[in-house]
Amino acid sequence: MYHEAKHSFAAHGIKVAGGGGGPAGHDGAGERGRGGADQGYRGAVQEEQGHLCEGPWEGGGPHEVAVDLLDSPGETKTIGARNIIIATGSDVRPLPGLQIDEKKIVSSTGALNLDAVPKKLVVVGGGVIGLELGSVWGRLGAQVTVVEFMDGIGGYMDNEVRRAFQRTLQKQGFKFMLSTKVVSADASGSGVVLEVEPAKGGERTKLDADVVLVATGRVPYTEGLGLEEAGVKKDTAGRIVVDDKFRSSVPSVFAIGDAIPGPMLAHKAEEDGIACVENLAGKHGHVNYGTVPGLFTRTLRWPWWARRRRR
């Protein structure tokens, strides 16, 4: 709406007083939204007569989970269960040479909580998360430069779609440095100075930014859960190995969402959860991953689904 008011309203004879905007004008909207969602989840658990136990997972066994209770520091509660479903999600993929401080070098979480619109924003990674957030800050006035290691943006988008998408973003003022990698970052000054070079090697150059968004992907959040001690097997990427019923190498332990192989998408994780519980209830739960849609959200939504032609 801010972008439309700033750039499009005048063409329709609409005058807008003042030109301010950005994070200061959000008035806590993000916090209210997250708080409302949190309360909604809690209400749903209570409605289904479930019990919420908050705290870090401190391990357990095939039929029990030990939780270090947040509301009772130092106290650990052990919960017994016939079956356990691991749905721990994912975390930001670290990138060597870029130390995230959530102030000048930020993850997707920090990018949602900036105090001001950066004049220059560099997005490291041309996937969906980086382009979505870059588009948000670009519409608020930031000069956005995307540094991508591959020769195209959009990750697993179809080639024709992502080329058209890149042209749309370039019309919005985006700059792209494709087939380029970040070597190091210096955040000792008021901003950040990135050192970049061609992906295949070559002359290094420097790139200045007020804020750098690290959006090079996500990794499954499966470390420190005591899975190895419980006998739950993981693959080389840290994902829990499951069968077509979402059952792990331990018959009573199941896993869904970002913790298992497959696209890291919220709607895919939701379908995993439904199918997993249906199987536990003796029904037939199944997810057709070939038809899981992808979606990039900006002023216009760019959806894609099914298999890419280049596959």
Side-chain angles (χ1 to χ4, degrees):
M1 181 60 73
Y2 170 78
H3 183 268
E4 290 296 315
K6 185 176 181 180
H7 297 282
S8 302
F9 278 14
H12 299 282
I14 303 173
K15 296 182 179 180
V16 180
H26 287 176
D27 194 25
E31 288 74 10
R32 290 197 301 274
R34 287 189 289 271
D38 181 70
Q39 291 301 316
Y41 297 145
R42 292 172 184 271
V45 171
Q46 293 175 355
E47 184 177 343
E48 297 298 330
Q49 299 181 351
H51 300 280
L52 185 63
C53 187
E54 297 181 83
W57 184 350
E58 295 297 334
H63 295 284
E64 63 180 26
V65 174
V67 181
D68 188 4
L69 300 177
L70 287 179
D71 56 1
S72 300
E75 180 181 348
T76 300
K77 181 177 182 179
T78 300
I79 304 170
R82 179 185 300 174
N83 295 300
I84 298 170
I85 300 177
I86 299 172
T88 48
S90 58
D91 200 1
V92 176
R93 182 188 299 277
L95 188 66
L98 288 175
Q99 184 65 42
I100 294 175
D101 58 14
E102 300 296 17
K103 294 180 180 179
K104 290 187 289 186
I105 302 178
V106 302
S107 67
S108 55
T109 301
L112 294 171
N113 295 288
L114 296 179
D115 295 328
V117 178
K119 183 177 180 181
K120 294 182 179 179
L121 172 67
V122 172
V123 179
V124 181
V128 172
I129 295 176
L131 296 178
E132 281 186 340
L133 290 172
S135 181
V136 169
W137 289 110
R139 292 199 301 274
L140 290 172
Q143 299 174 16
V144 182
T145 300
V146 178
V147 179
E148 168 58 43
F149 184 82
M150 305 299 289
D151 60 358
I153 65 170
Y156 51 89
M157 275 185 180
D158 178 82
N159 279 339
E160 185 176 348
V161 173
R162 63 180 182 176
R163 283 195 294 267
F165 184 36
Q166 182 175 338
R167 289 194 295 270
T168 298
L169 292 175
Q170 286 173 325
K171 290 179 181 178
Q172 291 183 358
F174 272 55
K175 296 179 181 179
F176 291 92
M177 299 179 67
L178 304 179
S179 300
T180 303
K181 65 179 179 181
V182 175
V183 178
S184 64
D186 181 4
S188 60
S190 58
V192 183
V193 179
L194 293 178
E195 190 173 29
V196 300
E197 69 177 18
K200 295 182 179 180
E203 183 180 355
R204 295 184 177 183
T205 57
K206 294 186 183 298
L207 190 61
D208 295 326
D210 297 299
V211 174
V212 174
L213 166 58
V214 181
T216 51
R218 301 184 67 84
V219 293
Y221 191 87
T222 56
E223 293 296 323
L225 303 180
L227 298 180
E228 293 81 0
E229 292 80 355
V232 177
K233 294 182 179 179
K234 298 188 291 185
D235 63 15
T236 55
R239 302 171 297 192
I240 298 172
V241 179
V242 296
D243 61 17
D244 59 353
K245 302 295 183 184
F246 302 96
R247 191 187 304 270
S248 75
S249 54
V250 177
S252 60
V253 178
F254 298 75
I256 62 171
D258 291 0
I260 66 173
M264 290 184 171
L265 299 168
H267 47 283
K268 175 265 189 187
E270 180 181 1
E271 292 300 316
D272 282 355
I274 293 171
C276 181
V277 172
E278 286 178 340
N279 289 326
L280 289 175
K283 301 181 183 297
H284 179 68
H286 173 70
V287 180
N288 184 353
Y289 294 113
T291 59
V292 174
L295 179 67
F296 176 90
T297 303
R298 45 174 293 281
T299 305
L300 297 175
R301 291 177 173 84
W302 288 71
W304 66 95
W305 58 90
R307 295 185 180 274
R308 296 171 296 174
R309 284 173 294 180
R310 65 191 180 99
R311 275 188 177 177

